[in-house]
């Protein structure tokens, strides 16, 4: 469901494997990332390039991940398609998530911060 | 202790029959009760009047033979399964009686030779199957009973949820409010309310709890009970009677924010003010409603807002727009925009705006059902994946 690689500067890049992040798989998605956080990965990029639909449960899980990381690290998302971007905008998620066009931009931004 | 299993022995030869009875009774299995039948017809009658679950039948008998008896037994509606064992001779003159009997519904065969051990083995197998069948039946019954109870509970919950909603069609202070509420399962995570606050202001809200089904419905019903007209009026109207719906949303956000779970809801909260001729609203992650003017131009209003119960301390904004005579406010939950057709393409905003253009002149009570119909046509056979709410509020004061 998620594929993890390590970028430079202690940044963990997570690529989602599912086309749809919904009530059906959002808990497993969150559990997978929480496991990474608990294992000490506190700077994370989630790449949603493969995901073309996210429902309200999916957004809830993602917000849960953000709250879990809290002040101990950083989270960035990238690869959002037009529909997901629109949903983020209506829910003002663009004000709480750091959003980048792609992985490279996200990793660059996070490594400059740290 | 296990109950007795009745066994019918169909055999026209009295010596053979008695011998068979002895064999069964001495098979070391104490739970069998043997019933003798002197021919096929008698066995058939005994199947109807007894509770026999095993039939051991000879092939050659006057009247009904063993295969005919098997076929006749299978056509009876006994409400129980009968395990049938056919006894055949070794030399049937080339006729494959076993194939015939298998087609007729026989379960097992025995040779006519005296072989008590084989009989014992067949009886044990039969008994095991019968007990296994009974256990399955009992499990099935228990599961069905539990399932029926859950369904009854759900139907009662759905009824209670329905009762929380305002009338599907209602006139409030010269505005016509019409709504359609379609749960994706029996109960819904959507909630909607609409009521007069005084003689010139109509308060309304629409809520969509994240997820759907029973879990979401628990929260939606809690919200429905919480937002009474009194609560709404007290939270929304300021000292000068000016509507500030964001105040109510802020209050709910602080109340529902918790780290215990990821549940939250999106909301649209508004006041139609007939004296100020304005619509005051606060959008909290709920899809932008459309304001449809008297010429059918649909404009999405609001540019978003945080959902409720997700992040503590975030702020919410009030917005307002002027409302024409015959102007209409149309709210659709995201279940409308996200409804997909067979190819997985969502209905989307553009199609919604086209539908609105076609139906804006209709009376308010026709609008929600026409949108639901358009969505149903779009989905084809695909079921609704999310709860759907459509609300139309039309000023109609001519």
């Amino acid at each position: 469901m998620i594929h993890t690689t390590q970028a430079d500067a202690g940044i963990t890049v997570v690529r989602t494997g599912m086309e749809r992040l919904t009530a059906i798989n959002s808990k497993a998605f969150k559990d997978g990332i929480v496991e990474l956080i608990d294992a000490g990965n506190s700077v994370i990029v989630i790449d949603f390039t493969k995901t073309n639909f996210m429902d309200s449960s999916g957004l809830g899980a993602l917000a849960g991940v953000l709250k879990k990381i809290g002040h101990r690290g950083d989270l960035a998302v990238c690869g959002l398609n037009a529909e997901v971007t629109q949903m983020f905008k209506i829910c003002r998620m663009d004000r709480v998530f750091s959003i980048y066009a792609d992985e490279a931009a996200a990793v660059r931004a996070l490594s400059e911060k740290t | 202790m296990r109950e007795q299993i009745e066994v019918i022995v169909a055999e026209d030869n009295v010596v053979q029959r008695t011998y068979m009875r002895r064999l069964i009774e001495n098979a070391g299995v104490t739970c069998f009760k043997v019933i003798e039948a002197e021919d096929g017809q008698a066995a058939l009658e005994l199947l109807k009047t007894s509770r026999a679950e095993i039939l051991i039948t000879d092939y050659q008998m006057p009247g009904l033979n063993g295969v005919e008896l098997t076929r006749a037994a299978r056509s009876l509606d006994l409400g129980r399964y009968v395990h049938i064992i056919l006894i055949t001779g070794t030399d049937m003159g080339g006729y494959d009686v076993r194939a015939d009997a298998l087609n007729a519904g026989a379960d097992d065969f025995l040779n006519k030779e005296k072989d008590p051990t084989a009989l014992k083995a067949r009886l044990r197998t039969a008994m095991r199957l019968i007990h296994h069948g009974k256990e399955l039946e009992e499990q099935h019954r228990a599961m069905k009973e539990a399932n029926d109870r859950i369904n009854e509970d759900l139907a009662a919950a759905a009824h209670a949820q329905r009762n929380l909603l305002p009338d599907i069609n209602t006139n409030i202070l010269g505005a016509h409010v019409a709504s359609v509420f379609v749960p994706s399962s029996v109960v819904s995570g959507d909630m909607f309310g609409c009521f007069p606050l005084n003689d010139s202001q109509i308060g309304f809200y629409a809520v969509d709890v994240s997820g759907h089904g029973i879990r979401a419905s628990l929260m939606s019903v809690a919200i429905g009970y919480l937002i009474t007209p009194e609560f709404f009026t007290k939270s929304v109207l300021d000292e000068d009677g000016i509507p500030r719906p964001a105040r109510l949303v802020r209050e709910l956000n602080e109340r529902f924010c918790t780290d215990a779970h990821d549940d939250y809801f999106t909301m649209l909260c508004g006041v139609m003010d007939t004296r100020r001729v304005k619509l005051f609203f606060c959008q909290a992650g709920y899809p932008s409603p459309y304001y449809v003017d008297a010429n059918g131009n649909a404009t999405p209003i609001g540019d978003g807002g945080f959902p409720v119960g997700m992040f503590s301390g975030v702020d919410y904004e009030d917005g307002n727009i002027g409302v024409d005579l015959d102007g209409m406010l149309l709210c659709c939950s995201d279940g409308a925009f996200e409804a997909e057709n067979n190819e997985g393409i969502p209905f989307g905003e553009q199609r919604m705006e086209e539908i609105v253009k076609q139906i804006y002149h209709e009376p308010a009570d026709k609008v929600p059902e026409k949108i639901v119909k358009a969505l149903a046509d779009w989905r084809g056979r695909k079921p609704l994946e999310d709860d759907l709410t459509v609300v139309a509020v039309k000023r109609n004061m001519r």
Side-chain angles (χ1 to χ4, degrees), chain A residues 20 30 56-57 67 90 92, chain B residues 262 264 303 305 310 340:
Chain A
R20 301 164 66 85
K30 186 187 165 189
S56 55
S57 302
K67 284 190 265 188
I90 286 292
R92 294 273 158 91
Chain B
D262 293 337
Y264 64 92
D303 59 356
M310 192 184 259
E340 291 179 357

Side-chain angles (χ1 to χ4, degrees), chain B residues 88-302:
Chain B
T88 61
T90 39
D91 181 22
M92 300 297 294
Y95 164 54
D96 191 357
V97 63
R98 294 190 168 194
D100 225 9
L102 208 58
N103 276 334
D107 294 290
D108 213 340
F109 306 100
L110 257 180
N111 278 326
K112 203 148 189 161
E113 300 154 7
K114 292 169 183 166
D115 186 353
T117 313
L119 175 68
K120 204 165 153 182
R122 299 294 196 279
L123 284 173
R124 280 198 179 167
T125 306
M127 209 170 67
R128 207 162 43 236
L129 285 171
I130 288 166
H131 285 310
H132 188 62
K134 279 183 183 162
E135 273 166 26
L136 274 180
E137 209 172 278
E138 174 55 25
Q139 280 173 12
H140 180 76
R141 194 198 55 74
M143 268 170 74
K144 189 178 175 305
E145 202 178 284
N147 192 52
D148 287 350
R149 207 163 41 229
I150 291 169
N151 281 336
E152 270 173 40
D153 273 358
L154 263 182
H159 186 73
Q161 186 174 30
R162 273 256 164 226
N163 280 346
L164 262 180
L165 298 169
D167 287 342
I168 290 169
N169 271 305
T170 180
N171 273 297
I172 303 175
L173 306 179
H176 199 153
V177 184
S179 58
V180 170
F181 185 77
V182 192
S184 60
S185 59
V186 186
V187 288
S188 168
D190 285 2
M191 186 48 68
F192 157 66
C194 189
F195 26 69
L197 305 182
N198 45 51
D199 60 4
S200 67
Q201 292 172 320
I202 305 161
F204 69 89
Y205 71 88
V207 157
D208 181 354
V209 177
S210 62
H212 43 82
I214 297 173
R215 182 174 171 155
S217 77
L218 288 175
M219 195 192 261
S220 75
V221 168
I223 296 163
Y225 277 111
L226 178 64
I227 308 180
T228 57
E230 296 71 34
F231 176 83
F232 191 103
T233 310
K234 198 166 145 280
S235 305
V236 168
L237 297 186
D238 72 7
E239 310 72 54
D240 304 317
I242 296 168
R244 311 232 180 253
R247 302 209 309 198
L248 182 144
V249 179
R250 250 173 246 135
E251 192 174 335
L252 290 180
N253 189 47
E254 294 318 310
R255 197 183 279 236
F256 281 91
C257 264
T258 156
D259 286 335
H261 55 72
D262 293 337
D263 297 336
Y264 64 92
F265 55 94
T266 61
M267 183 175 196
L268 183 75
C269 180
V271 173
M272 183 84 94
D273 192 317
T274 58
R275 198 165 293 152
R276 294 181 175 88
V277 208
K278 267 185 174 171
L279 173 78
F280 296 82
F281 64 91
C282 173
Q283 182 186 20
Y286 203 85
S288 289
Y290 288 107
Y291 173 66
V292 189
D293 69 17
N295 299 318
N297 299 309
T299 318
I301 60 170

Side-chain angles (χ1 to χ4, degrees), chain B residues 12 25 40 49 129 167 359:
Chain B
D12 55 320
E25 282 172 350
T49 53
L129 285 171
D167 287 342
I359 59 175

